[in-house]
Amino acid sequence: MVNHLAIIMDGNGRWAEERGLTRSDGHKAGARQIGVAARAAIKAGIKYLTLYAFSTENWKRPKDEVAVLMGLISEFAKSELPNMMRDGVRLRTIGRTADLPLAARTALEFAIKQTEKNDTLTINIALSYGGRAEIVDAVNKIIAEKRTAPIDEKEFVNYLYAPDIPDPDLLIRTSGELRLSNFLLWELSYSELYVTNTYWPDFDENTLAEALASFGSRKRRFGGLNKK
Ligand code: IPE
Ligand code: IPE
Ligand code: MG
């Protein structure tokens, strides 16, 4: 049973290029697909959906492309809000979100507050997110507390961005790349991995069903023997 699904939403650019469209068109199509994925996740009984939308490294992209992505983040937070309220979706974010432009932060904060009490599905969007940044940010929080006592894994988790969210059961990466690209380095330690060649803008209920079927046939062992 997948309780927490994480997705690296990759391939917007290639999807657009294959259609003779601009990368911006690809990102627009990709942003629209988030709602489709959320509704498919709800149908599948998933409780947490963590989506990699913008990495700490994505700031290196051309200014215009970054601006388009930031615009789409604000637009998503505003236009999806009625659907999130209807479907019982709670919105959250992880990452160095203070780096986002004010308009995006404001729209996100509003949607986060409005959806705070929804509990059918939590959509956790990773924005200006890096797995290494998350670990370094945790270490710096510990330093700021002037803690001198040794720390164990269980306590360390409390300094990560979303300590109350359980680790992902399944990670899906779209568009075929076989790498993590700095996503959830701590949390993915024992997640099952599924890579599909489908580009993110084409991701739908069927792609999700294929990934879940694959997950269903895995034996998770967590280093032990036959632990379910
Ligand atoms: C994913 O699509 C969206 C972001 C990384 C923001 P890409 O823009 O990486 O698409 P490709 O990988 O170039 O096809
Ligand atoms: C990972 O995709 C980041 C997101 C999907 C937001 P990238 O397209 O940035 O990753 P690389 O550069 O191919 O590793
Ligand atoms: Mg990419």
Side-chain angles (χ1 to χ4, degrees):
M1 179 71 196
V2 174
N3 181 50
H4 181 179
L5 171 66
I7 307 181
I8 301 175
M9 307 186 290
D10 198 16
N12 295 348
R14 279 162 281 175
W15 179 91
E17 277 155 35
E18 282 188 8
R19 284 161 180 76
L21 302 170
T22 64
R23 292 184 62 84
S24 301
D25 294 326
H27 292 314
K28 268 177 219 153
R32 272 199 303 273
Q33 218 55 20
I34 294 178
V36 173
R39 285 180 277 284
I42 291 172
K43 272 201 199 166
I46 289 163
K47 298 303 285 181
Y48 299 94
L49 179 63
T50 297
L51 301 173
Y52 204 7
F54 194 87
S55 71
T56 45
E57 288 73 31
N58 288 149
W59 292 110
K60 292 190 291 201
R61 294 200 181 186
K63 252 198 180 133
D64 291 0
E65 181 168 348
V66 170
V68 165
L69 287 163
M70 293 301 141
L72 285 168
I73 291 161
S74 313
E75 205 179 300
F76 165 83
K78 289 180 202 155
S79 66
E80 269 296 313
L81 185 55
N83 290 339
M84 291 194 274
M85 293 313 291
R86 181 197 63 202
D87 298 336
V89 172
R90 176 177 180 189
L91 184 70
R92 291 174 62 169
T93 58
I94 49 170
R96 293 183 173 167
T97 47
D99 297 347
L100 302 183
L102 182 63
R105 271 185 287 143
T106 311
L108 285 165
E109 275 161 26
F110 185 75
I112 288 168
K113 187 89 197 128
Q114 292 291 305
T115 61
E116 198 172 42
K117 295 205 164 61
N118 294 345
D119 65 357
T120 304
L121 171 74
T122 296
I123 298 184
N124 186 32
I125 307 199
L127 290 164
S128 193
Y129 175 89
R132 289 181 177 178
E134 177 172 23
I135 293 167
V136 167
D137 286 352
V139 170
N140 284 322
K141 282 181 214 163
I142 296 166
I143 291 173
E145 283 183 2
K146 302 201 184 328
R147 177 192 172 111
T148 52
I151 193 161
D152 61 14
E153 290 179 15
K154 222 173 144 211
E155 268 185 287
F156 186 78
V157 166
N158 291 326
Y159 295 90
L160 297 174
Y161 294 140
D164 57 311
I165 299 184
D167 288 343
D169 301 289
L170 175 65
L171 169 74
I172 299 177
R173 182 163 187 149
T174 59
S175 83
E177 241 60 75
L178 300 174
R179 54 177 174 257
L180 289 180
S181 302
N182 203 11
F183 193 39
L184 302 177
L185 296 182
W186 177 282
E187 297 85 346
L188 290 172
S189 291
Y190 270 102
S191 308
E192 295 296 321
L193 310 179
Y194 183 85
V195 174
T196 171
N197 289 326
T198 303
Y199 295 136
W200 174 252
D202 291 328
F203 184 95
D204 62 11
E205 217 175 304
N206 297 324
T207 331
L208 178 63
E210 284 163 22
L212 294 179
S214 172
F215 177 86
S217 69
R218 313 279 179 95
K219 267 203 178 67
R220 301 184 80 185
R221 304 192 353 163
F222 301 96
L225 292 173
N226 297 319
K227 190 170 175 257
K228 255 281 165 202

